[in-house]
Amino acid sequence: MNSLQRIKRKIVTVNEFKIQLDKRKKIAFTNGCFDMIHRGHIEYLAQASDYGDIFVIGLNTDASIHRLKGKSRPITDEKSRSMVLAALSFVDYVIFFDEDTPYSLIQQIQPDVLIKGSDYTIDTIVGADIVKAKGGQIITIDLIAGYSTSAIEKKIKESS
């Protein structure tokens, strides 16, 4: 199998994920739009991946981002975003979700560890109740100041 095929095989549906899942392995899960991958994303995702044997990213679809962030977003289409994420060596699976939150996806995946940035508190993390109910962990990771897609987008607009 060539490198491109390996990347594409990481982008799966939730049903494909369930079929491939080794239930003896610890699943770490995070989610987001990941519209323009930057240093902040890389450091956050690399750290998040260390919390499990299998690292899954729930990725908002284009329609979901459009509803959440407005007409100008996403900047990068879902296929491109998923390919970039899947190309990261520490990412095992990328699964799209079309809802405004990943709650249903988290219910279906049943991760052992749910990870979000420290801009969230445990009581505001979608799906924390599901993970806590099964005895799992909720982790927040400190974000790197000054690195956000919104800040980058603003900088680009100001320089044009």
Side-chain angles (χ1 to χ4, degrees), residues 1-120:
M1 174 183 330
N2 66 39
S3 295
L4 184 58
Q5 289 171 323
R6 279 194 298 278
I7 291 168
K8 287 181 176 182
R9 288 186 71 172
K10 292 181 179 184
I11 304 165
V12 298
T13 66
V14 71
N15 289 332
E16 290 168 334
F17 171 76
K18 287 179 181 180
I19 290 168
Q20 297 175 32
L21 178 63
D22 179 343
K23 294 188 190 247
R24 297 169 293 182
K25 298 207 173 181
K26 185 177 183 181
I27 302 168
F29 177 89
T30 194
N31 66 279
C33 300
F34 303 104
D35 201 0
M36 291 175 38
I37 302 296
H38 52 72
R39 176 184 167 201
H41 287 136
I42 298 299
E43 291 198 23
Y44 166 78
L45 293 171
Q47 290 175 66
S49 72
D50 289 335
Y51 285 97
D53 303 312
I54 298 171
F55 183 45
V56 180
I57 298 176
L59 184 62
N60 292 74
T61 62
D62 290 349
S64 175
I65 294 173
H66 187 73
R67 288 191 306 273
L68 294 169
K69 298 194 179 250
K71 293 178 184 178
S72 67
R73 299 285 288 277
I75 295 166
T76 310
D77 67 89
E78 63 191 45
K79 183 174 182 180
S80 299
R81 292 182 290 115
S82 66
M83 290 284 290
V84 170
L85 290 169
L88 299 172
S89 62
F90 49 79
V91 172
D92 295 299
Y93 295 98
V94 177
I95 304 173
F96 290 109
F97 66 96
D98 195 42
E99 300 78 18
D100 291 348
T101 74
Y103 195 80
S104 176
L105 180 58
I106 292 168
Q107 278 181 317
Q108 294 176 71
I109 289 176
Q110 292 289 310
D112 301 292
V113 185
L114 178 58
I115 304 120
K116 289 297 284 181
S118 60
D119 51 335
Y120 287 84

Side-chain angles (χ1 to χ4, degrees), residues 117-131:
S118 60
D119 51 335
Y120 287 84
T121 58
I122 291 177
D123 59 313
T124 62
I125 296 175
V126 170
D129 60 324
I130 296 166
V131 177

